[in-house]
Amino acid sequence: MEYTSLGRTGMRVSRLCLGTMMFGAWGNPDHDACVRMVHRALDAGINLVDTADVYAFGESEAILAKALKGRRDDVVLATKFGEAMDPDAPLRRGASRRWIIRAVEDSLRRLDTDYLDLYQMHRPDPSTDPDETLGALSDLIRQGKVRAIGSSALPAEAVVEAQWIAERRGHERFTVEQLAYSAFARHAETAALPTCGRYGLGVLVFSPLNGGWLTGKYRAGQAVSADSRAVRNAEHFDHADAAVRAAKTALVEEFAAIAGDAGCSLPELALAFALAHPNVTSAIIGPRTEEQLESQLGACDVRLTPQTLTRLDALVPPGTDVNPADSPYPRPILHRG
């Protein structure tokens, strides 16, 4: 396993990060199987594990607590706050001081740990002043409950604003940004990734396999498994839109051919592509099964040549998305009425 610095935090982390969104009711309800996946990842050299309070509404964090018994000190443990923990409870969400103070205690209890290595705002909260959010998170660092703080899915201008507020108001600053990035969804290359590089942020990329499209399991003429996300959540994973589905299916065949020429599997090609960006620290893999985990662990050994990267650029140009809806940053257009 290869390691690198997590921005300017001083923490050395693996270039693959184990994501646990699929642990529990949202993916794999077998706790023992999930624990085995964590142990296998750690044994393979992964030392960065990412979760969130909202993943299966706390179940993912509870599973991690079991898996990390006796190994907590060898792991950089990251979790997130901000997504709604109860759709009927408007105060159990967001980035207010009130909720952050409650949410961190809940996560610490579920994870059975005294501290978090990285605590991340899961999504932007336009209703809360960033000064309040950064102030609350700074207090957590001073209290020893959190070692570093980060954000997720911030547009470039919000990354800059957060850095400015931290400097002017004397707060701890976000040192890590988590963003979506894959060979099929490259919008982050236009502004977010360069901005993170400018401020020396560590960057964790999620969905490097583009919701399963770059695993090779969705191929032309092949039936989709009934338990697949393509069936369970077709609209979110680009299977409900016929035009997008056709475009991605055709590209998968071309990407698979390039992977074959490069001497690697399609998921290894996709992960190696994400890791090839100079501002990317670690790519988050989110396996649901032990088989999926094994298929992705070898990606760190793959080095894509400039010729291979050029072939990928020709299929999906830099800064573009196969599906424009993959960009989390809607254009700021005023809608009246």
Side-chain angles (χ1 to χ4, degrees), residues 287-301:
R288 181 174 57 85
T289 66
E290 294 170 79
E291 181 182 15
Q292 290 175 356
L293 173 64
E294 291 295 338
S295 73
Q296 299 169 35
L297 287 175
C300 274
D301 298 326

PDB file of all heavy atoms in Angstrom, residues 287-301:
ATOM      1  N   PRO A 287     -17.127  -0.877  -0.804  1.00  0.00           N
ATOM      2  CA  PRO A 287     -17.632  -2.211  -1.139  1.00  0.00           C
ATOM      3  C   PRO A 287     -18.828  -2.622  -0.298  1.00  0.00           C
ATOM      4  O   PRO A 287     -18.940  -2.263   0.878  1.00  0.00           O
ATOM      5  CB  PRO A 287     -16.429  -3.120  -0.844  1.00  0.00           C
ATOM      6  CG  PRO A 287     -15.686  -2.394   0.245  1.00  0.00           C
ATOM      7  CD  PRO A 287     -15.829  -0.940  -0.093  1.00  0.00           C
ATOM      8  N   ARG A 288     -19.703  -3.397  -0.933  1.00  0.00           N
ATOM      9  CA  ARG A 288     -20.828  -3.996  -0.210  1.00  0.00           C
ATOM     10  C   ARG A 288     -20.505  -5.435   0.163  1.00  0.00           C
ATOM     11  O   ARG A 288     -21.061  -5.969   1.126  1.00  0.00           O
ATOM     12  CB  ARG A 288     -22.086  -3.939  -1.075  1.00  0.00           C
ATOM     13  CG  ARG A 288     -23.346  -4.514  -0.418  1.00  0.00           C
ATOM     14  CD  ARG A 288     -24.582  -4.273  -1.284  1.00  0.00           C
ATOM     15  NE  ARG A 288     -24.422  -4.837  -2.620  1.00  0.00           N
ATOM     16  CZ  ARG A 288     -24.683  -6.098  -2.952  1.00  0.00           C
ATOM     17  NH1 ARG A 288     -25.096  -6.959  -2.027  1.00  0.00           N
ATOM     18  NH2 ARG A 288     -24.514  -6.516  -4.191  1.00  0.00           N
ATOM     19  N   THR A 289     -19.626  -6.072  -0.595  1.00  0.00           N
ATOM     20  CA  THR A 289     -19.281  -7.472  -0.359  1.00  0.00           C
ATOM     21  C   THR A 289     -17.767  -7.629  -0.300  1.00  0.00           C
ATOM     22  O   THR A 289     -17.007  -6.770  -0.774  1.00  0.00           O
ATOM     23  CB  THR A 289     -19.817  -8.373  -1.482  1.00  0.00           C
ATOM     24  OG1 THR A 289     -19.129  -8.049  -2.707  1.00  0.00           O
ATOM     25  CG2 THR A 289     -21.322  -8.173  -1.681  1.00  0.00           C
ATOM     26  N   GLU A 290     -17.337  -8.750   0.245  1.00  0.00           N
ATOM     27  CA  GLU A 290     -15.905  -9.041   0.316  1.00  0.00           C
ATOM     28  C   GLU A 290     -15.313  -9.212  -1.087  1.00  0.00           C
ATOM     29  O   GLU A 290     -14.169  -8.834  -1.342  1.00  0.00           O
ATOM     30  CB  GLU A 290     -15.690 -10.296   1.158  1.00  0.00           C
ATOM     31  CG  GLU A 290     -16.080 -10.085   2.625  1.00  0.00           C
ATOM     32  CD  GLU A 290     -16.103 -11.362   3.441  1.00  0.00           C
ATOM     33  OE1 GLU A 290     -15.013 -11.819   3.839  1.00  0.00           O
ATOM     34  OE2 GLU A 290     -17.208 -11.908   3.665  1.00  0.00           O
ATOM     35  N   GLU A 291     -16.091  -9.749  -2.002  1.00  0.00           N
ATOM     36  CA  GLU A 291     -15.624  -9.899  -3.380  1.00  0.00           C
ATOM     37  C   GLU A 291     -15.358  -8.536  -4.016  1.00  0.00           C
ATOM     38  O   GLU A 291     -14.342  -8.351  -4.705  1.00  0.00           O
ATOM     39  CB  GLU A 291     -16.663 -10.664  -4.199  1.00  0.00           C
ATOM     40  CG  GLU A 291     -16.255 -10.885  -5.651  1.00  0.00           C
ATOM     41  CD  GLU A 291     -17.333 -11.606  -6.446  1.00  0.00           C
ATOM     42  OE1 GLU A 291     -18.487 -11.690  -5.971  1.00  0.00           O
ATOM     43  OE2 GLU A 291     -17.021 -12.059  -7.560  1.00  0.00           O
ATOM     44  N   GLN A 292     -16.250  -7.586  -3.783  1.00  0.00           N
ATOM     45  CA  GLN A 292     -16.038  -6.246  -4.325  1.00  0.00           C
ATOM     46  C   GLN A 292     -14.782  -5.618  -3.737  1.00  0.00           C
ATOM     47  O   GLN A 292     -14.010  -4.961  -4.452  1.00  0.00           O
ATOM     48  CB  GLN A 292     -17.255  -5.367  -4.031  1.00  0.00           C
ATOM     49  CG  GLN A 292     -18.496  -5.760  -4.826  1.00  0.00           C
ATOM     50  CD  GLN A 292     -19.717  -4.950  -4.423  1.00  0.00           C
ATOM     51  OE1 GLN A 292     -19.664  -4.131  -3.500  1.00  0.00           O
ATOM     52  NE2 GLN A 292     -20.839  -5.176  -5.098  1.00  0.00           N
ATOM     53  N   LEU A 293     -14.560  -5.792  -2.460  1.00  0.00           N
ATOM     54  CA  LEU A 293     -13.362  -5.255  -1.828  1.00  0.00           C
ATOM     55  C   LEU A 293     -12.102  -5.818  -2.476  1.00  0.00           C
ATOM     56  O   LEU A 293     -11.173  -5.074  -2.829  1.00  0.00           O
ATOM     57  CB  LEU A 293     -13.375  -5.565  -0.334  1.00  0.00           C
ATOM     58  CG  LEU A 293     -12.101  -5.207   0.441  1.00  0.00           C
ATOM     59  CD1 LEU A 293     -11.866  -3.703   0.413  1.00  0.00           C
ATOM     60  CD2 LEU A 293     -12.196  -5.700   1.886  1.00  0.00           C
ATOM     61  N   GLU A 294     -12.064  -7.133  -2.655  1.00  0.00           N
ATOM     62  CA  GLU A 294     -10.873  -7.770  -3.238  1.00  0.00           C
ATOM     63  C   GLU A 294     -10.590  -7.255  -4.649  1.00  0.00           C
ATOM     64  O   GLU A 294      -9.438  -7.110  -5.048  1.00  0.00           O
ATOM     65  CB  GLU A 294     -11.051  -9.292  -3.265  1.00  0.00           C
ATOM     66  CG  GLU A 294     -11.047  -9.956  -1.899  1.00  0.00           C
ATOM     67  CD  GLU A 294      -9.717  -9.844  -1.174  1.00  0.00           C
ATOM     68  OE1 GLU A 294      -8.673  -9.625  -1.839  1.00  0.00           O
ATOM     69  OE2 GLU A 294      -9.712  -9.967   0.066  1.00  0.00           O
ATOM     70  N   SER A 295     -11.649  -6.942  -5.390  1.00  0.00           N
ATOM     71  CA  SER A 295     -11.467  -6.495  -6.773  1.00  0.00           C
ATOM     72  C   SER A 295     -10.863  -5.102  -6.868  1.00  0.00           C
ATOM     73  O   SER A 295     -10.420  -4.687  -7.942  1.00  0.00           O
ATOM     74  CB  SER A 295     -12.811  -6.518  -7.509  1.00  0.00           C
ATOM     75  OG  SER A 295     -13.657  -5.458  -7.071  1.00  0.00           O
ATOM     76  N   GLN A 296     -10.832  -4.365  -5.749  1.00  0.00           N
ATOM     77  CA  GLN A 296     -10.364  -2.978  -5.782  1.00  0.00           C
ATOM     78  C   GLN A 296      -9.041  -2.754  -5.061  1.00  0.00           C
ATOM     79  O   GLN A 296      -8.401  -1.716  -5.250  1.00  0.00           O
ATOM     80  CB  GLN A 296     -11.446  -2.075  -5.175  1.00  0.00           C
ATOM     81  CG  GLN A 296     -12.760  -2.117  -5.947  1.00  0.00           C
ATOM     82  CD  GLN A 296     -13.908  -1.442  -5.220  1.00  0.00           C
ATOM     83  OE1 GLN A 296     -13.732  -0.457  -4.530  1.00  0.00           O
ATOM     84  NE2 GLN A 296     -15.110  -2.000  -5.373  1.00  0.00           N
ATOM     85  N   LEU A 297      -8.608  -3.703  -4.263  1.00  0.00           N
ATOM     86  CA  LEU A 297      -7.414  -3.506  -3.449  1.00  0.00           C
ATOM     87  C   LEU A 297      -6.133  -3.361  -4.276  1.00  0.00           C
ATOM     88  O   LEU A 297      -5.175  -2.738  -3.821  1.00  0.00           O
ATOM     89  CB  LEU A 297      -7.247  -4.666  -2.454  1.00  0.00           C
ATOM     90  CG  LEU A 297      -8.227  -4.682  -1.278  1.00  0.00           C
ATOM     91  CD1 LEU A 297      -8.024  -5.942  -0.442  1.00  0.00           C
ATOM     92  CD2 LEU A 297      -8.039  -3.437  -0.404  1.00  0.00           C
ATOM     93  N   GLY A 298      -6.125  -3.914  -5.478  1.00  0.00           N
ATOM     94  CA  GLY A 298      -4.915  -3.864  -6.289  1.00  0.00           C
ATOM     95  C   GLY A 298      -4.713  -2.565  -7.049  1.00  0.00           C
ATOM     96  O   GLY A 298      -3.690  -2.392  -7.737  1.00  0.00           O
ATOM     97  N   ALA A 299      -5.641  -1.622  -6.914  1.00  0.00           N
ATOM     98  CA  ALA A 299      -5.571  -0.400  -7.723  1.00  0.00           C
ATOM     99  C   ALA A 299      -4.325   0.430  -7.450  1.00  0.00           C
ATOM    100  O   ALA A 299      -3.817   1.113  -8.347  1.00  0.00           O
ATOM    101  CB  ALA A 299      -6.826   0.444  -7.493  1.00  0.00           C
ATOM    102  N   CYS A 300      -3.827   0.395  -6.216  1.00  0.00           N
ATOM    103  CA  CYS A 300      -2.647   1.202  -5.888  1.00  0.00           C
ATOM    104  C   CYS A 300      -1.397   0.738  -6.628  1.00  0.00           C
ATOM    105  O   CYS A 300      -0.423   1.484  -6.715  1.00  0.00           O
ATOM    106  CB  CYS A 300      -2.393   1.168  -4.387  1.00  0.00           C
ATOM    107  SG  CYS A 300      -3.333   2.416  -3.496  1.00  0.00           S
ATOM    108  N   ASP A 301      -1.416  -0.470  -7.139  1.00  0.00           N
ATOM    109  CA  ASP A 301      -0.254  -0.992  -7.866  1.00  0.00           C
ATOM    110  C   ASP A 301      -0.294  -0.628  -9.348  1.00  0.00           C
ATOM    111  O   ASP A 301       0.632  -0.949 -10.093  1.00  0.00           O
ATOM    112  CB  ASP A 301      -0.173  -2.519  -7.723  1.00  0.00           C
ATOM    113  CG  ASP A 301       0.014  -2.946  -6.274  1.00  0.00           C
ATOM    114  OD1 ASP A 301       0.697  -2.212  -5.535  1.00  0.00           O
ATOM    115  OD2 ASP A 301      -0.526  -3.995  -5.886  1.00  0.00           O
TER     116      ASP A 301
END
